Amino acid sequence: MKKFKFIKWMLIALLLTYLSLLVPAQTQVSRPEIMGCEQGCPVVAAGFPMPFLVDGVISPVGTLSINPFDILFIHLDEFVFINFAISYVFWLALTLIVLKLYRIQHP
């Protein structure tokens, strides 16, 4: 039974990670195929604390699609898995800290 409660908190952290796509950001991306961006260019990104969705080469410039089907299947934008993992661990830790504080206040 305890296992299912932890899965519930993991899903809540996954939802918070997805909702962090609403936080706009910019990141430096090196694109050798684009003149002037060999060393890095600022591009639109989203995600918090680490931007894990970056404006892709084939998507319209300066746009991000946060539709989960576009992210998973169409790949217009670049999904950076390591940044996603860091963001997910951040939100999971925050969720577990809030749960622990709630349990201390309401035994």
Side-chain angles (χ1 to χ4, degrees):
M1 190 67 166
K2 195 170 190 175
K3 181 180 171 181
F4 294 114
K5 287 185 180 181
F6 188 70
I7 290 174
K8 176 178 76 171
W9 294 110
M10 288 174 60
L11 291 174
I12 289 172
L14 185 65
L15 176 67
L16 289 172
T17 305
Y18 175 72
L19 289 176
S20 76
L21 286 174
L22 297 174
V23 178
Q26 271 194 343
T27 189
Q28 291 287 110
V29 175
S30 175
R31 295 199 171 132
E33 68 274 358
I34 299 175
M35 193 163 113
C37 288
E38 296 87 6
Q39 301 299 321
C41 288
V43 293
V44 176
F48 182 82
M50 298 290 291
F52 56 90
L53 192 62
V54 179
D55 188 19
V57 177
I58 62 172
S59 70
V61 176
T63 63
L64 286 174
S65 175
I66 61 171
N67 182 347
F69 296 108
D70 289 348
I71 295 169
L72 294 174
F73 301 116
I74 298 177
H75 306 292
L76 289 177
D77 299 313
E78 296 175 25
F79 182 79
V80 183
F81 182 76
I82 189 72
N83 289 359
F84 172 78
I86 292 169
S87 295
Y88 177 72
V89 168
F90 169 80
W91 288 109
L92 181 61
L94 192 65
T95 303
L96 293 176
I97 288 169
V98 168
L99 173 66
K100 187 71 170 173
L101 290 174
Y102 178 79
R103 286 185 179 168
I104 289 172
Q105 294 293 324
H106 304 286

